[in-house]
Amino acid sequence: MDLNSFKLVTGRTLIQGAGKERGKFSEDYLKEVSTCELDPEDMKLLSLVEGESIVVKTEFGEAKLIAKASTRAPHKGVIFIPYGPVASLLTSPHTDGSGMPSLKGIEAEILKG
Amino acid sequence: MIEVLIRGAVCTVCGCCCDDLNVEVTDGRVERVENACSLALSKFKHYSSERILKPLMRVGNGFKETSYKEAIQESARLLVNSNYPVLWGWCLTSCEAVELGLELAELVGGVIDNNSSVCHGPGLIGVQDIGISGCSLGEVKNRADLILYWGSNPVNAHPRHMARYTALAKGRFVASRRERKLIVVDVRRTETAKLADEFYQIEPNSDYELLTALRCAVNGEEIELSTVSGLPVERVEELADALISCRFGVLFYGLGLTMTYGKSRNLDAALSLVRDLNRKTKFLIMPMRGHFNVTGSNEVFTWVTGYPFGVDLSKGYPEYNPGITTISDVLRRGECDAALIVASDPIAHLPSTLAETLKKIPLITIDPHRTPTTEASQIVIPSAIIGLESTGTVYRMDGVPLECKRILDPPPGVKTDVEIMSDLLSRVKELLT
Ligand code: SF4
């Protein structure tokens, strides 16, 4: 399998949303925003186990995250990271003339942590 | 023991702005909240954690406490002395504070922008291109028999949206879940998709393609492809049929459309699809606005400057050019030399390559809580929490204004955003005369 062919989607989760109200430095929040959800089939192909540390890399940066099996599968080739300071290390500053940076659908690769 | 029950408080978390919270306060503490979702409960439970109680001024790698007066004077001095400041945030505060922010921007020049440039701004550009068939959430609740969520996961981001206004709401003319069809288009099988009657899972970055194909199908044109956005063409035709055959449909779109490939063009296509559908049936469209007053910030920006976000006032008159006068672009070009951030945390949420620019310039932040942005600031002015410790007007995602209630007193010495902005404005005027 080509390990360099993922699409990164960032977004809201309930735990991230409730966690930000608890505090941007709270354990719950920081733990949630440091996880990366993968399709369980992709995890098998990459020989990754739940809770394993991975590095996600995009054109714009790289970040260390904890792999988590997605409960929203199947979504082969798509990885998900909740909004927050870790996802922001990977997102694209280019706005394509719209003012909006690209926070979803970004080319990403996964390296074992 | 002093007990107070506040009925009908407005929740200041997400763009649903639920105005039916009943809050029980005992001895100045929130004891119980009725009708709150888990996001709102978390806010009521933790509003005092990681709170900033005194104005702070940077000294080396740390902060020293300072007086409110000094924090205002120094902030005013930094803004007046800058050539091209950026004033940003404005969606977790009241419309009254936004109005003062715009007056300040006129005086100090530079760019004033709000969070919508990094959430629903592309939708606003789309509306300027195409126009919008909109309505209130009350209309949706009472009449809609088809609900389509596209690139939006309200179960996680707007937890009471479905129960209060859409699929699960008891409306006047459409009274139950059985009478409403729920369709979801998304790249993953989200919690919302799991509740849907029909789920269309598409490939990332392919929304424009599907919207365009749907327009073809709705307009009776043939789609000369076997798959669109990863869906067999029969599924696309089936979706178009479902959209045409409802009596009153509503498309709610989320950041899955605005933040992804195509951006404002995706919204041009979605708004055009809805326009086309109105030739066959009644169909409306609404953005799933995230923060509780991001809609209000667009409203006030538009009344005052004519534009909803990304306004450059450096020439003494408003200029609006998304992609140039928007915070991400200003930061990418490294043009601003000071920043005022009101009720927002750009350092955590903007792509880090942009946040780096903010860390290099004098940064003034007004916020109730510690955030990565306050930590990087030169001056931090603590503020009262709107909807909890101060009143103020906010706009729900459908453009309905609501008045927030004051439930508790702010911590001693902590001012409201309106008080802070008024004091900052007065000081800037003094310096400029
Ligand atoms: S749905 Fe949104 S506005 Fe309503 S209670 Fe939950 S967080 Fe508050």
Side-chain angles (χ1 to χ4, degrees):
Chain A
M1 137 144 212
D2 178 4
L3 303 192
N4 301 329
S5 62
F6 288 91
K7 284 266 163 38
L8 165 65
V9 173
T10 67
R12 173 98 53 233
T13 69
L14 258 190
I15 302 175
Q16 179 265 352
K20 79 175 164 49
E21 300 301 336
R22 180 179 283 247
K24 288 284 179 72
F25 299 97
S26 68
E27 216 182 302
D28 290 13
Y29 173 80
L30 290 173
K31 197 170 154 210
E32 176 71 359
V33 299
S34 308
T35 57
C36 175
E37 290 178 21
L38 292 101
D39 184 299
E41 291 297 312
D42 286 343
M43 283 178 76
K44 263 192 219 154
L45 287 170
L46 294 169
S47 311
L48 284 175
V49 292
E50 179 89 16
E52 193 172 339
S53 170
I54 54 169
V55 172
V56 177
K57 200 172 161 196
T58 68
E59 190 191 330
F60 312 100
E62 56 181 68
K64 210 168 166 172
L65 292 125
I66 300 298
K68 186 176 164 188
S70 172
T71 53
R72 295 145 178 175
H75 49 75
K76 283 183 72 58
V78 174
I79 57 174
F80 176 86
I81 304 174
Y83 293 143
V86 187
S88 298
L89 295 169
L90 303 167
T91 47
S92 160
H94 298 298
T95 76
D96 310 317
S98 70
M100 175 78 230
S102 298
L103 307 190
K104 296 182 194 277
I106 305 154
E107 301 278 345
E109 61 180 301
I110 294 178
L111 314 170
K112 285 228 188 185
Chain B
M1 194 147 75
I2 312 152
E3 281 187 30
V4 190
L5 175 63
I6 292 141
R7 289 188 178 280
V10 175
C11 172
T12 48
V13 179
C14 85
C16 287
C17 299
C18 298
D19 58 346
D20 61 346
L21 304 193
N22 297 328
V23 187
E24 229 178 83
V25 178
T26 305
D27 287 339
R29 278 204 346 264
V30 173
E31 277 299 316
R32 223 164 68 85
V33 190
E34 255 176 37
N35 296 334
C37 73
S38 62
L39 299 182
L41 280 178
S42 185
K43 176 160 188 159
F44 278 103
K45 195 163 163 206
H46 301 294
Y47 67 89
S48 57
S49 57
E50 293 180 11
R51 203 70 201 266
I52 304 166
L53 298 171
K54 291 268 187 310
L56 303 172
M57 192 98 75
R58 175 154 302 280
V59 191
N61 286 333
F63 287 111
K64 73 166 174 58
E65 285 184 5
T66 185
S67 67
Y68 174 71
K69 193 173 168 202
E70 201 183 332
I72 291 287
Q73 282 183 345
E74 184 58 10
S75 303
R77 193 188 63 79
L78 285 173
L79 289 171
V80 167
N81 288 347
S82 65
N83 282 323
Y84 195 62
V86 55
L87 285 68
W88 202 67
W90 314 108
C91 69
L92 298 175
T93 187
S94 64
C95 291
E96 292 80 357
V98 181
E99 194 182 353
L100 294 167
L102 285 153
E103 197 180 336
L104 179 68
E106 266 193 276
L107 292 176
V108 298
V111 158
I112 183 162
D113 192 10
N114 55 56
N115 298 61
S116 51
S117 76
V118 295
C119 61
H120 276 281
L124 297 164
I125 301 171
V127 172
Q128 287 162 340
D129 290 344
I130 308 290
I132 185 164
S133 318
C135 65
S136 73
L137 285 166
E139 286 287 302
V140 179
K141 173 184 173 181
N142 287 322
R143 297 175 196 275
D145 64 339
L146 184 142
I147 307 292
L148 167 58
Y149 287 110
W150 192 309
S152 167
N153 180 12
V155 172
N156 275 227
H158 303 82
R160 296 182 68 210
H161 194 263
M162 283 203 278
R164 252 168 89 79
Y165 306 115
T166 70
L168 308 171
K170 261 198 197 132
R172 188 149 171 209
F173 307 110
V174 187
S176 70
R177 173 72 179 88
R178 263 180 298 117
E179 294 168 62
R180 302 197 206 250
K181 189 164 197 167
L182 176 61
I183 302 178
V184 171
V185 177
D186 212 316
V187 296
R188 297 175 308 141
R189 184 177 285 277
T190 60
E191 290 68 21
T192 309
K194 287 173 192 162
L195 300 173
D197 299 306
E198 297 290 339
F199 170 48
Y200 294 85
Q201 186 165 4
I202 63 168
E203 290 164 355
N205 293 333
S206 71
D207 305 76
Y208 187 85
E209 209 174 312
L210 179 57
L211 288 161
T212 310
L214 281 171
R215 288 189 65 200
C216 288
V218 165
N219 293 321
E221 289 157 25
E222 201 187 325
I223 305 167
E224 293 169 353
L225 290 167
S226 55
T227 60
V228 177
S229 312
L231 296 172
V233 80
E234 299 74 42
R235 290 271 284 154
V236 178
E237 280 159 358
E238 172 195 296
L239 175 55
D241 284 344
L243 301 184
I244 292 169
S245 45
C246 73
R247 274 178 290 123
F248 187 119
V250 190
L251 191 170
F252 288 99
Y253 66 89
L255 303 180
L257 266 191
T258 64
M259 283 183 174
T260 189
Y261 184 70
K263 297 177 184 168
S264 54
R265 295 297 173 213
N266 292 335
L267 277 307
D268 284 356
L271 292 157
S272 302
L273 169 67
V274 169
R275 188 187 55 194
D276 294 352
L277 282 164
N278 276 294
R279 297 203 189 102
K280 315 261 173 176
T281 182
K282 171 102 183 151
F283 224 99
L284 302 151
I285 179 165
M286 194 182 295
M288 295 290 283
R289 304 307 301 266
H291 292 309
F292 66 86
N293 198 29
V294 66
T295 307
S297 69
N298 297 139
E299 296 280 338
V300 182
F301 269 55
T302 310
W303 304 334
V304 177
T305 70
Y307 305 112
F309 63 98
V311 183
D312 185 326
L313 289 157
S314 61
K315 293 184 190 140
Y317 57 86
E319 260 192 327
Y320 163 74
N321 202 344
I324 295 178
T325 60
T326 24
I327 187 170
S328 301
D329 304 281
V330 173
L331 291 177
R332 205 183 53 250
R333 296 191 302 267
E335 286 172 349
C336 49
D337 56 353
L340 171 70
I341 308 294
V342 179
S344 185
D345 183 13
I347 297 220
H349 294 281
L350 288 179
S352 59
T353 39
L354 303 177
E356 284 308 312
T357 309
L358 277 180
K359 291 184 190 165
K360 289 185 205 134
I361 57 175
L363 188 59
I364 306 151
T365 303
I366 301 172
D367 205 288
H369 296 105
R370 267 182 74 216
T371 66
T373 302
T374 61
E375 294 305 284
S377 297
Q378 188 123 341
I379 301 171
V380 182
I381 305 178
S383 55
I385 301 170
I386 175 165
L388 195 65
E389 298 164 347
S390 82
T391 57
T393 311
V394 298
Y395 276 68
R396 204 167 65 183
M397 62 167 73
D398 55 349
V400 170
L402 296 162
E403 181 65 25
C404 292
K405 296 194 176 173
R406 176 169 159 151
I407 295 165
L408 301 169
D409 292 333
V414 171
K415 314 259 185 198
T416 65
D417 286 337
V418 167
E419 288 167 330
I420 299 167
M421 289 308 300
S422 309
D423 292 338
L424 191 52
L425 198 55
S426 309
R427 183 63 192 149
V428 163
K429 283 180 183 164
E430 276 171 28
L431 290 176
L432 290 174
T433 45

